[in-house]
Amino acid sequence: MQQNVKIAAVLLVLSAVQPAFGQDKADVAAGAEVYATNCSPCHGERLANSGGVPDLRALKPDEKAKFDAIVTDGRGGQMPPWEGVLTPEQINQVWAYIRSVAD
Ligand code: HEC
């Protein structure tokens, strides 16, 4: 009896966290696609950097603001600005993808 109550409690907790977890996975999957289409030619397939451009896996979790600014505005003439090409949501999805690989 006690055991059943425990199992029920565990199932309840699992079903509560599931939606958030599912959304994260959806963002990571969408970000992987945005990355593969737009970023991988320079930054390397699946974030595996070939040298010459910054390795995006080296970005720290607290560097989201820096990431947003550089991706939106571009940098140094070689990193193109993505404002108007990618939506802020797509840029967030690429960040979710990078974090899923880097962390
Ligand atoms: C045409 C090649 C090219 C493409 C395409 C490209 N980048 Fe870059 N990126 C660069 C180069 C070169 C730099 C280094 C710029 C500099 O600092 O002078 C850079 C720098 C960056 C940086 C700064 C990294 C750091 O640690 O300083 C970020 C973040 C970044 N790119 C993200 C992206 C994302 C996300 C995409 C896809 C939406 C993308 N880049 C597409 C060439 C590219």
Side-chain angles (χ1 to χ4, degrees):
M1 181 58 190
Q2 188 64 25
Q3 192 64 19
N4 284 345
V5 171
K6 270 191 201 154
I7 290 170
V10 168
L11 288 176
L12 199 67
V13 169
L14 282 179
S15 61
V17 296
Q18 195 61 37
F21 188 61
Q23 183 55 45
D24 277 4
K25 278 176 89 172
D27 282 347
V28 169
E33 255 180 54
V34 174
Y35 179 86
T37 307
N38 300 285
C39 321
S40 71
C42 297
H43 287 280
E45 211 168 305
R46 283 172 231 225
L47 295 168
N49 192 258
S50 50
V53 290
D55 191 328
L56 301 185
R57 292 171 297 187
L59 290 164
K60 301 277 174 288
D62 65 357
E63 292 183 313
K64 171 75 161 64
K66 168 184 157 180
F67 175 82
D68 284 347
I70 294 171
V71 176
T72 302
D73 300 335
R75 198 173 73 186
Q78 286 192 66
M79 166 61 190
W82 295 93
E83 187 167 32
V85 179
L86 298 178
T87 64
E89 190 189 2
Q90 286 176 309
I91 294 173
N92 287 339
Q93 289 167 339
V94 174
W95 179 254
Y97 169 58
I98 292 170
R99 297 277 36 105
S100 77
V101 174
D103 288 343

